[in-house]
């Protein structure tokens, strides 16, 4: 069979500039949605259209595929046609104080209510203290107390008269009213009392005891009268305050009569003010909280304020919230504290909203990885979805050794849709380890990293470029420049039939090409500017590649580019340096001998290889057993080595290369050194596709070009990789001119003929074609068996002779 090089047209898909019907992307409209993500769009449409019964959305896909910008555009457009949710307010718990009450009002009304209450508080705080300083108040108070004062005065006068008749006076002291004996209207001194005879003193003491009981009764009646006075005054004050506040509250109640919760709160506020008339009486001294100098009266009035937690007045549709730092407090809100005289205090006005409050009635978008990285957040999100409400809690209480007074705000019902953005790995982990995950995130929208290479998608790529140019103030692209960007998109996928949907990378390329066009003073970006941007990327990142290439050219790393050698071949490896990868040849050698060790990879023995590479080596044993071990035991030992490699080796893309080296060593046929080989192999000798094919070919071509192209050099790849070829222009031009070649093979036998120049042979009637590569290998393996058997027989005979002697 004859293996011919691939035609130049097979080495790269070209986007034809003449297909475009524009002179520059300036003439194109913007995009109306993501490019080529129909499956993901169908999932998003289903999730957003379903009731919020666990049909929240999880978006998967690689970073840079436009998943976040796509969901932003979709949600913002959808939200415009939806209702604006209500405003939410917190007010003081006037009954217990520790559980602020939440209620909602139509959007825009929350701000008005807050301002109306602030105005009401201002008017009340001014009017009520003045009321207690007015002449009218003093007149009402005087009338209320006058009757009780007369009654109290009459009791005391009667008591004084009775005391005088009994020979006593009533005097006032620091301890109250006391009875003092008197004679002729003059109180006796202690000396005069002591000078009296015993019978007189006894009579005075008896009368005094009786009068003291009367005095105690009068004092009790006086206290009752004072209590009645206080109650009457308090009732009078409450009536005055009630009369003063009723018309002010009535105005607001009439205005908000359609909102029961607002009316109930206003009524509670009115009753609370009436029940706290003592707050409005004049104080002799202003009482201050030393930290900040806050007037206590101000603290009293603040209890009637409205904490407008969520103000949706400015919204024109449902809210769309992207929370970039989903900590617990950023999601669920917080209760702030201030320090007064060394103590942390708070009140309902310090309750702050979180992203869930802002997204209530709309959409909340979170990055899944960031959510999982924040302690408490993920479990709290699930509780919110399970219960259907948002509760603001002070989670720091769980870590405190000493509890402190805090608030327990009432819950707020939640009806929004939550969207998580992450990769497939996180999605699979959550599904596997969290039994609740599937209940709350029932829909997955998977953004593919590649899309079909169709004319419709190519046209939309041009629109994408137009959008980037407008958004970032870049010069617009000519058709040739658009073609080069689209071709690079195909190269990123390593598939001529696909285009990359990693639009972040493409956007960067567009910006870099625009930079070079601007630098050269061009009004439009041409194809040369895109190529210059790609070459500049390579130059910025290929220092290590240049160093390794220099070592190969100098001969420090041994690689041959001409001639033929037994058991030696050029394999191709791909090196990764961050987001930059490149290919270089690696010498692979094989040695074989008589034995029973089978195929041994030196890298495996020293634990320098990965599991996939080890699998590829073990497949080689299966190949030999299937092809040559059907009529004889295989009695050979083989050693494989990646020469001068000092790092890890993984992947099975060199397994066909290793097999060629083994067959060369067994057959004694030399392998061409001007051909580099890549491809994996199965146990039946079929060559399978590998990755990094473009970098591998370009890496070998660059070295051949440095040492000198001979017209015989080239790379042999699996035929299944032909559709993956998107080689750079230099390689394609060299192949078109016959200075370099790319061959594609489907089987090991095809590759053997190209590498050895000898037919691989056919297996007919139990034998391989005479003189073929497979016949040589089969004969060598047969000879090894015969040699081993003869050696064993000779050894047994020597052992018998030694025993007989």
């Amino acid at each position: 069979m004859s293996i011919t090089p691939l035609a130049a047209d097979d080495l790269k898909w070209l986007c034809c500039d003449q297909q475009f019907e524009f002179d520059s992307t300036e003439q194109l409209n913007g995009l109306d949605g993501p490019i080529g993500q129909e499956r993901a769009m169908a999932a998003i449409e289903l999730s957003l259209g379903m009731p919020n019964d666990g049909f929240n959305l999880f978006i998967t896909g690689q970073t840079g595929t436009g998943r976040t910008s796509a969901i932003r555009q979709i949600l913002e457009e959808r939200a415009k046609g939806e209702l604006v949710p209500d405003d939410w307010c917190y007010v003081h718990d006037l009954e217990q104080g520790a559980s602020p009450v939440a209620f909602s009002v139509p959007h825009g009304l929350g701000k008005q209510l807050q301002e109306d209450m602030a105005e009401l508080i201002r008017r009340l705080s001014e009017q009520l203290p003045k009321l207690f300083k007015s002449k009218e108040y003093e007149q009402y108070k005087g009338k209320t107390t006058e009757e009780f004062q007369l009654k109290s005065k009459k009791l005391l006068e009667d008591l004084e008269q009775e005391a005088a008749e009994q020979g006593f006076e009533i005097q006032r002291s620091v301890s109250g009213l006391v009875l003092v004996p008197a004679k002729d209207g003059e109180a006796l001194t202690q000396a005069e009392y002591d000078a009296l005879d015993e019978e007189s003193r006894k009579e005075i003491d008896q009368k005094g005891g009786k009068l003291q009981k009367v005095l105690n009764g009068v004092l009790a009646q006086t206290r009752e009268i004072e209590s009645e006075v206080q109650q009457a005054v308090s009732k009078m004050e409450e009536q005055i305050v009630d009369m003063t506040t009723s018309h002010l509250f009535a105005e607001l109640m009439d205005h908000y009569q359609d909102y029961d919760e607002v009316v109930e709160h206003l009524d509670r506020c009115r009753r609370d003010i009436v029940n706290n008339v003592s707050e409005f009486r004049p104080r002799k001294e202003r009482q201050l909280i030393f930290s900040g100098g806050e007037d206590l009266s101000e603290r009293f009035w603040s209890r009637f304020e409205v904490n407008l937690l969520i103000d949706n007045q400015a919204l024109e549709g449902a809210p769309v919230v992207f929370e970039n730092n989903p900590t617990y407090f950023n999601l669920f809100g917080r209760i702030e504290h201030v320090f007064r005289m060394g103590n942390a205090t708070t009140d309902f006005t310090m309750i702050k909203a979180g992203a869930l409050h802002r997204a209530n009635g709309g959409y909340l978008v979170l990055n899944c990885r960031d959510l999982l990285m924040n302690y408490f957040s993920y479990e709290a999100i699930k509780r919110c979805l399970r219960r259907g409400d948002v509760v603001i809690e002070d989670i720091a209480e769980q870590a405190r050794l000493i509890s402190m007074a805090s608030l327990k705000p009432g819950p707020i019902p939640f009806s929004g849709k939550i969207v998580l953005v992450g990769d497939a790995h996180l999605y699979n982990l959550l599904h596997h380890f969290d039994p609740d995950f599937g209940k709350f995130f029932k829909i997955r929208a998977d953004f593919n990293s590649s899309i079909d290479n169709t004319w419709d998608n190519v046209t939309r790529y041009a629109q994408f470029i137009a959008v980037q140019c407008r958004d970032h103030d870049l010069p617009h692209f000519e058709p040739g420049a658009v073609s080069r960007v689209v071709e690079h998109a195909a190269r990123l996928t390593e598939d001529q039939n696909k285009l990359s949907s990693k639009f972040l990378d493409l956007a960067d390329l567009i910006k870099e090409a625009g930079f070079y066009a601007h630098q050269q003073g061009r009004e439009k970006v041409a194809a040369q500017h895109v190529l210059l941007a790609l070459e500049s990327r390579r130059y910025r990142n290929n220092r290590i590649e240049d160093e390794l290439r220099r070592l190969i050219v100098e001969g420090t790393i041994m690689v041959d580019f001409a001639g033929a050698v037994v058991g030696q071949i050029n394999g191709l490896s791909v090196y990764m340096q961050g987001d930059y990868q490149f290919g270089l040849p690696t010498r692979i050698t094989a040695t074989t001998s008589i034995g029973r060790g089978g195929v041994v990879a030196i890298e495996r023995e020293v634990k320098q290889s990965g599991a996939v590479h080890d699998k590829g080596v073990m497949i080689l044993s299966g190949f030999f057993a299937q092809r040559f071990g059907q009529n004889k035991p295989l009695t050979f030992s083989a050693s494989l080595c990646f020469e001068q490699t000092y790092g890890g080796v993984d992947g099975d893309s060199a397994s066909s290369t290793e097999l060629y080296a083994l067959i060369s060593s067994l057959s004694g046929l030399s392998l061409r050194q001007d051909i580099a080989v890549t491809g994996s192999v199965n146990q039946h000798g079929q060559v399978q596709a590998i990755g990094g094919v473009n970098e591998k070919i370009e890496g070998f071509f660059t070295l051949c070009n440095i040492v000198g192209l001979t017209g015989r050099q080239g790379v042999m790849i699996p035929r299944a990789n032909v559709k993956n070829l998107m080689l750079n222009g230099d390689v394609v031009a060299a192949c078109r001119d016959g200075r370099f070649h790319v061959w594609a093979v489907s089987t090991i036998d095809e590759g053997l003929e190209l590498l050895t120049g000898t037919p691989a042979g056919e297996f007919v009637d139990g034998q391989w074609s005479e003189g073929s590569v497979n016949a040589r290998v089969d004969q060598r393996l047969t000879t090894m068996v015969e040699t081993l058997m003869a050696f064993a027989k000779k050894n047994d005979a020597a052992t018998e002779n030694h025993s007989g002697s």
Side-chain angles (χ1 to χ4, degrees), residues 35 94 267 281 324 368 419 768:
I35 302 175
L94 294 170
D267 186 59
R281 298 192 187 103
N324 297 319
C368 181
V419 179
W768 290 98

Side-chain angles (χ1 to χ4, degrees), residues 141-158:
K141 185 177 180 181
K143 289 179 181 180
T144 303
T145 60
E146 183 177 359
E147 179 183 351
F148 295 98
Q149 288 175 348
L150 291 174
K151 187 177 179 180
S152 178
K153 182 179 180 182
K154 180 68 169 56
L155 288 173
L156 289 175
E157 288 177 350
D158 292 344

Side-chain angles (χ1 to χ4, degrees), residues 174-188:
V174 293
S175 59
L177 298 178
V178 295
L179 291 170
V180 178
K183 183 177 181 180
D184 299 329
E186 294 292 333
L188 295 178

Side-chain angles (χ1 to χ4, degrees), residues 3-4 13 42 45 64 128 140 159 235 258 261-262 275 304 357 492 505 509 526 591 638 653 751-752 776 782 796:
I3 306 299
T4 59
W13 169 76
E45 183 178 358
L128 292 180
Y140 280 125
L159 178 63
K235 186 175 181 180
D258 296 331
E261 290 175 310
V262 176
N275 293 333
F304 306 113
H357 298 101
L492 289 176
D505 293 340
L509 175 62
T591 59
S653 63
L752 286 172
R776 288 170 175 263
T782 301
D796 290 343

Side-chain angles (χ1 to χ4, degrees), residues 463-739:
Q463 293 176 298
F464 170 75
I465 295 173
V467 171
Q468 293 296 311
C469 292
R470 293 191 186 102
D471 291 349
H472 301 284
D473 195 24
L474 302 172
H476 280 274
F477 279 50
E478 297 176 352
V482 173
S483 295
R484 302 296 84 78
V485 173
V486 175
E487 288 169 5
H488 181 67
R491 178 183 171 98
L492 289 176
T493 66
E494 292 190 342
D495 193 333
Q496 297 178 3
N497 301 317
K498 296 287 184 180
L499 298 174
S500 173
S501 59
K502 294 182 178 179
F503 294 102
L504 182 61
D505 293 340
L506 296 172
D508 291 341
L509 175 62
I510 293 167
K511 294 172 187 175
E512 292 171 25
F515 168 80
Y516 289 114
H518 178 75
Q519 193 179 54
Q520 295 179 6
R522 295 287 300 273
E523 295 183 357
K524 297 288 188 297
V525 178
Q528 66 196 45
H529 300 124
V530 178
L531 296 177
L532 178 59
L534 291 172
E535 179 60 25
S536 298
R537 280 187 178 185
R538 187 197 65 79
Y539 177 74
R540 293 194 301 268
N541 293 286
N542 76 337
R543 184 184 66 82
I544 301 299
E545 179 185 9
D546 278 349
E547 287 294 319
L548 293 174
R549 189 183 295 129
R550 179 182 61 82
L551 294 174
I552 292 174
V553 172
E554 291 177 351
T556 304
I557 299 176
M558 293 185 290
V559 176
D560 292 335
F561 298 94
V565 181
V566 174
Q568 177 178 301
I569 192 169
N570 288 329
L572 291 169
S573 301
V574 172
Y575 295 81
M576 303 292 296
Q577 293 289 322
D579 60 347
Y580 179 72
Q581 60 182 21
F582 59 92
L584 288 176
T586 301
R587 175 177 289 180
I588 299 175
T589 59
T591 59
T592 54
S593 62
I594 298 174
R596 299 182 181 275
V599 180
V600 174
I602 293 177
E603 283 74 24
R604 178 186 179 186
E605 296 302 311
V606 297
K607 295 180 175 55
Q608 196 179 354
S609 62
V612 178
H613 173 264
D614 296 341
K615 175 185 175 182
V617 172
M618 297 179 72
I619 287 174
L620 303 184
S621 299
F623 170 83
F624 279 102
Q626 187 272 339
R627 177 166 290 195
F628 302 110
Q630 301 300 312
N631 56 0
K632 58 183 173 298
L634 297 181
T635 56
F636 76 98
S637 295
S639 176
L640 290 169
C641 182
F642 281 70
E643 303 291 354
Q644 293 184 283
T645 57
Y646 306 102
V649 176
D650 202 4
D652 63 348
S653 63
S655 58
S656 68
T657 313
E658 293 168 322
L659 183 54
Y660 292 133
L662 286 172
I663 291 176
S664 170
S665 179
L666 289 169
S667 65
L669 296 172
S670 300
L671 299 175
R672 291 176 58 175
Q673 302 299 295
D674 51 11
I675 297 178
V677 181
T678 185
S680 69
V681 67
N682 63 24
Q683 295 185 107
H684 299 287
Q686 296 170 317
V687 179
Q688 303 167 142
I690 44 83
V693 64
N694 294 297
E695 288 78 7
K696 291 175 179 179
I697 294 173
E698 291 167 358
F700 190 67
F701 168 79
T702 301
L703 282 167
C704 291
N705 195 33
I706 293 173
V707 300
L709 293 172
T710 63
R712 288 176 52 82
Q713 296 149 331
V715 175
M716 187 167 66
I717 66 171
R719 188 166 297 279
N721 279 120
V722 173
K723 66 182 180 64
N724 305 119
L725 295 176
M726 286 296 296
L727 298 170
N728 64 40
D730 293 341
V731 179
V732 174
C735 292
R736 182 175 287 110
D737 297 339
R739 294 179 288 119

